[in-house]
Amino acid sequence: MTQRAMTARPMTERAIPPATVARLPSYRRVLMDAADAGQRTIASGAIAEAVGVHPDQVRKDLSHLATRGTRGVGYDVRALIAETSSILGLDEERTVVLVGVGNLGRALAAYEGFAPQGFRLVAVLDVDDAVIGSEVGGLRVAHLDTLPQVARREQVEMGVVAVPGPAAQAVVDTMVAAGLRTVLNFAPVHVRVPDDVAVRRVDLSTELQMLSFLRSRMRRDG
Amino acid sequence: MTQRAMTARPMTERAIPPATVARLPSYRRVLMDAADAGQRTIASGAIAEAVGVHPDQVRKDLSHLATRGTRGVGYDVRALIAETSSILGLDEERTVVLVGVGNLGRALAAYEGFAPQGFRLVAVLDVDDAVIGSEVGGLRVAHLDTLPQVARREQVEMGVVAVPGPAAQAVVDTMVAAGLRTVLNFAPVHVRVPDDVAVRRVDLSTELQMLSFLRSRMRRDG
DNA sequence: TTCTGTGAACAGATTCACAGCA
DNA sequence: TGCTGTGAATCTGTTCACAGAA
């Protein structure tokens, strides 16, 4: 629909392929482990081994970054961490709001993986009076209606949707109206959003079903 | 490594592309909604609309199945549900074991999405004495050491890993040794498994980071 | 040597274009 | 006329092969 590839863009960054971006968080994690272990440089082969891809793939991916490796040695660990963090937007703090305080919502609110990557959960919302006012993940659950105020006050950028499927579209509409521009959707439905809003969906049921498919297939192969 | 494509295979099924399989669960959900609403047939455009893809894509995907649509009308809803279920291996019950009773593990155990798709959780395991013996998702938490017995007794096929990263590889090794052949890994690390075991990883942090990337990019585009 | 960087070959997935049946 | 089915064209991603710097 929109013509992106032809758009003039500052030379500093050259349209990193989505497939590469998807691997960057894994690379970054390995790099941070290496840094913790005191390593100053790391070879593509070592990253590849830890992440489970081909070394070729790692080098091709890293060739989209500005950081260059040195032949016979590898890449500078600190430089790569800095650049991947910057590309992924992890050098500035991102505020997150969570909607839906069921089992999954509660688990997400308590999830320890948010904070270390710079994601700060600033509000937990629901529409059910039974849970509003209770404490979840160190925050008091408020009514979904307060989202616009919270979003403005805290400059919230990301929304996490952990409500049942039928409620998801309405929640996302509310988020979009409140100015959120990225949404992580755990409901098992596709939601419609304007072009300038990004949505990613995580569906446990889909994952299980794909595994189930692989299982069926394997029994015949083996 | 293994040569699959050339393997002789019963004509009844012709190697469905992975990308298609990944969309099948979504199609199936839409079909079930349509069936609930009393619809007997459905057009590719309607499925596409609900799932958020091109109608062309839906038709190409469905062309890999045996069920054919009728021109000017659409596809038979019941027939498609039956065939997608069969392909995804959802016509037989799959037994699942969950390891790791942290926040996420508890949420997964209580997750209502397992049962309706034919996934039956038969055991919840951990290594922490503090949680062993407690009840989670209607099951009493047992020690990970009991996995081999449970796996044999219940013919367990799938394992869900909800333990911290550093513990994941050992847990998966135990699962593989106990005969499980598919693993859904929520730990943020790559785990090594033999060729005949399938692993899928779901990483919340990766999803957030990809959204964060999109957010950074959008601010410049818009 | 060892390990990077990249063009070229290849493979897979999506979109287009259109023929053809109800 | 509406919607399926599919070859062809295109696009995207992966793997190969190898030149070249430390």
Side-chain angles (χ1 to χ4, degrees):
Chain A
M1 183 160 283
T2 32
Q3 194 82 353
R4 282 178 205 275
M6 290 292 121
T7 313
R9 203 181 274 273
M11 294 207 54
T12 44
E13 68 196 87
R14 318 204 133 281
I16 301 175
T20 293
V21 175
R23 282 184 291 266
L24 250 28
S26 292
Y27 294 170
R28 184 166 166 277
R29 191 175 328 255
V30 170
L31 291 164
M32 293 182 79
D33 287 351
D36 286 349
Q39 272 183 71
R40 308 206 127 251
T41 71
I42 190 166
S44 60
I47 300 176
E49 164 84 355
V51 169
V53 300
H54 272 232
D56 292 348
Q57 182 77 80
V58 173
R59 291 206 304 281
K60 183 71 100 186
D61 285 337
L62 296 184
S63 77
H64 298 292
L65 313 197
T67 308
R68 318 269 78 182
T70 42
R71 295 160 200 228
V73 180
Y75 299 84
D76 184 88
V77 172
R78 297 183 72 85
L80 272 191
I81 290 176
E83 193 179 1
T84 51
S85 298
S86 156
I87 289 168
L88 293 172
L90 303 178
D91 38 10
E92 36 186 324
E93 189 183 72
R94 304 243 178 234
T95 49
V96 180
V97 86
L98 168 73
V99 177
V101 188
N103 285 302
L104 183 59
R106 247 183 287 267
L108 292 172
Y111 179 56
E112 311 83 359
F114 282 122
Q117 316 298 336
F119 299 102
R120 186 164 63 93
L121 186 64
V122 296
V124 179
L125 310 174
D126 205 305
V127 291
D128 182 0
D129 286 337
V131 295
I132 290 170
S134 67
E135 200 173 300
V136 169
L139 292 164
R140 194 156 297 280
V141 180
H143 196 279
L144 179 57
D145 290 346
T146 65
L147 179 55
Q149 294 105 71
V150 175
R152 213 177 318 112
R153 189 178 67 234
E154 304 271 6
Q155 294 283 319
V156 179
E157 299 177 324
M158 312 179 79
V160 176
V161 179
V163 302
Q169 182 66 58
V171 167
V172 171
D173 291 346
T174 307
M175 285 176 167
V176 170
L180 309 210
R181 285 295 169 267
T182 49
V183 174
L184 184 55
N185 177 24
F186 286 88
V189 295
H190 169 76
V191 292
R192 253 165 295 278
V193 293
D195 277 356
D196 62 341
V197 176
V199 181
R200 289 189 63 85
R201 187 159 73 90
V202 175
D203 185 1
L204 308 185
S205 176
T206 294
E207 298 297 330
L208 283 172
Q209 290 176 52
M210 290 189 67
L211 281 172
S212 175
F213 167 82
L214 293 172
R215 179 78 191 97
S216 312
R217 232 172 61 98
M218 272 186 303
R219 231 181 307 203
R220 277 188 289 281
D221 285 1
Chain B
M1 183 157 280
T2 31
Q3 193 81 354
R4 284 178 202 276
M6 289 293 120
T7 314
R9 202 181 275 274
M11 293 207 53
T12 44
E13 69 196 83
R14 319 202 132 284
I16 301 175
T20 294
V21 174
R23 282 184 292 267
L24 251 27
S26 292
Y27 294 169
R28 185 166 166 276
R29 189 175 328 254
V30 170
L31 291 164
M32 293 182 78
D33 288 350
D36 286 350
Q39 272 183 68
R40 307 206 126 251
T41 71
I42 190 167
S44 61
I47 299 175
E49 164 85 355
V51 168
V53 300
H54 272 233
D56 292 350
Q57 183 76 82
V58 173
R59 291 207 303 282
K60 183 71 99 186
D61 284 338
L62 297 184
S63 77
H64 298 293
L65 313 197
T67 308
R68 318 270 76 181
T70 42
R71 293 158 202 233
V73 180
Y75 300 84
D76 184 89
V77 173
R78 298 184 71 87
L80 272 191
I81 291 175
E83 194 178 2
T84 51
S85 299
S86 156
I87 289 168
L88 294 170
L90 304 177
D91 39 10
E92 37 186 323
E93 189 183 71
R94 304 246 178 232
T95 48
V96 181
V97 90
L98 168 73
V99 177
V101 187
N103 286 303
L104 183 59
R106 247 183 286 268
L108 292 172
Y111 179 56
E112 313 82 358
F114 283 122
Q117 315 298 337
F119 298 101
R120 187 164 64 92
L121 186 64
V122 298
V124 179
L125 310 174
D126 205 305
V127 291
D128 181 0
D129 286 338
V131 295
I132 290 170
S134 68
E135 199 174 301
V136 168
L139 292 164
R140 193 156 298 277
V141 180
H143 196 281
L144 179 57
D145 291 346
T146 65
L147 180 53
Q149 295 105 71
V150 174
R152 214 176 319 110
R153 188 177 68 232
E154 305 269 7
Q155 293 282 317
V156 179
E157 300 177 324
M158 312 178 78
V160 176
V161 178
V163 301
Q169 182 67 58
V171 167
V172 170
D173 290 346
T174 307
M175 286 177 167
V176 169
L180 309 209
R181 285 296 169 265
T182 50
V183 173
L184 185 55
N185 177 24
F186 285 88
V189 295
H190 168 76
V191 291
R192 254 165 294 279
V193 293
D195 277 355
D196 62 340
V197 176
V199 181
R200 289 190 64 85
R201 185 160 73 91
V202 175
D203 183 2
L204 307 185
S205 177
T206 294
E207 298 297 331
L208 283 172
Q209 289 175 53
M210 290 190 67
L211 280 171
S212 175
F213 167 82
L214 293 171
R215 178 78 192 97
S216 312
R217 232 174 62 97
M218 273 186 303
R219 230 181 307 202
R220 277 187 289 281
D221 287 1

